[in-house]
Structures are given as structure tokens and as C-alpha cells.
Amino acid sequence: MTSTIAPVRHPAPHTIARVRVPDAARMRALRLEMLADSPLAFLETVAEAAARPHEHFRAQIAHNIRSGSAAQFVAVEDGRFVGHAGGVVLAADRRVTVVFAVYVTPRLRGTGLVGALIEAVARWSRDERRPELMLEVVSGNDRAVRAYERLGFRDTGVRVPHPVIAGLTELQMRRDA
């Protein structure tokens, strides 16, 4: 089943929309911003992402759309991407959507955009008959944990090693889609 998520207006002048192939350049710019702002939260460095050509970002978006196993949503302000949240099918349990790469540009944090982005992922997950969302957040990132708790996520008690940075752990959180 292919989901067609229509753009949703959220705190003006922001729109939440699914990422499309023509968005690759803006997605690349947002990815670099995300990595520069929050280097522990994501699974690569600014240098690694910057070294990838534009075509890499375009191909990844096209693959996600074609496969149906992942979807990315962005908050858009005056044509610029200012937030992101993605969802991907959990291979071990196809009833679960893993939420990934949640980000809101610093000046817009606390405006409700993260909730709108998570809701876009949740709607996609429900449309694809996956009733649960799961995410992992770096232990000690209390601001993010509180934001996710406000959105209905609960700490499962599961702790996993950070997939890139030795010595860091992530806590797992889940909620209904």
C-alpha cells in the first residue's frame, strides 16, 4: 500500500509535507544543518554527509519512495526546510515504524513543529497498517525525552549502545501510531 500524505498546514507559516525527489537539494541542506547542530543525535558526521554528492540524496529519496519502506517529512517555511522526521519499517517487526532523524531548526523549537512532524510519520504508519511507533534517543538528552513524552512516547526501559559513538547509550521509546 502506498501512502499519499497531503501537505498539512501547521503553525503558520509552516507546512508539513512528504519529501519528494525534487527536494533533494533542500534535504541535503537540512541534513547538513542537522548534523552541525546536533552531532550526537544522528549516525554520521557533517563531513561524511557533505562529501556525498547531490545525486546520493536524490537517489536515497527516490529509493525510499519506490520501496515504500521509508518516508521522510519536512516542515517548510518560506520554501526552506526547517524540520524533519522520518519513518522506516522495523525489519524485525513489520507492525512497528521506527521514527528517525527528528529535527527542528533551533529558532523554531517549542513551536509544535516536532509534534506535527511526528504526527505525519504516525499517519503514514497507520496508513501502512503499522500500529506502533518506536524511536531511540541518546541517554541524557532530557529535552528530547521530555518532548517525546509530551507526544505520548514512553520509555520502554530498553537501552542500546549508540550505533556510532562508543560509550554512549540510547533509550528506546514507544507509542501507538
Side-chain angles (χ1 to χ4, degrees), residues 6-20:
V8 176
R9 295 292 296 168
H10 191 65
H14 304 101
T15 300
I16 306 300
R18 189 161 179 184
V19 175
R20 301 169 303 119

Side-chain angles (χ1 to χ4, degrees), residues 1-163:
M1 171 183 261
T2 301
S3 176
T4 54
I5 304 294
V8 176
R9 295 292 296 168
H10 191 65
H14 304 101
T15 300
I16 306 300
R18 189 161 179 184
V19 175
R20 301 169 303 119
V21 174
D23 299 326
R26 291 185 295 169
M27 192 60 235
R28 182 179 189 274
L30 181 62
R31 181 69 179 172
L32 296 175
E33 176 187 325
M34 294 163 63
L35 293 167
D37 179 71
S38 305
L40 298 180
F42 306 107
L43 304 182
E44 65 181 337
T45 67
V46 174
E48 290 166 339
R52 290 192 184 93
H54 171 78
E55 180 55 33
H56 169 83
F57 288 85
R58 189 185 161 300
Q60 186 62 48
I61 293 167
H63 170 76
N64 288 347
I65 291 168
R66 242 187 348 269
S67 74
S69 64
Q72 295 173 270
F73 299 90
V74 288
V76 185
E77 177 185 68
D78 297 325
R80 183 173 169 265
F81 288 179
V82 294
H84 176 275
V88 65
V89 179
L90 182 62
D93 183 352
R94 299 200 55 83
R95 296 175 32 87
V96 178
T97 294
V98 177
V99 178
F100 70 91
V102 178
Y103 178 79
V104 172
T105 199
R107 71 178 174 77
L108 295 172
R109 291 178 185 157
T111 65
L113 283 179
V114 73
L117 288 161
I118 294 293
E119 183 50 37
V121 174
R123 193 171 39 244
W124 174 73
S125 187
R126 290 188 305 268
D127 286 351
E128 297 294 320
R129 294 180 171 69
R130 287 189 299 278
E132 189 173 8
L133 300 179
M134 188 271 285
L135 58 80
E136 294 171 347
V137 60
V138 173
S139 298
N141 187 347
D142 296 335
R143 182 178 180 165
V145 169
R146 286 190 306 272
Y148 294 135
E149 287 173 341
R150 284 191 298 274
L151 296 173
F153 285 90
R154 295 292 166 245
D155 185 344
T156 65
V158 173
R159 300 297 182 268
V160 295
H162 190 282

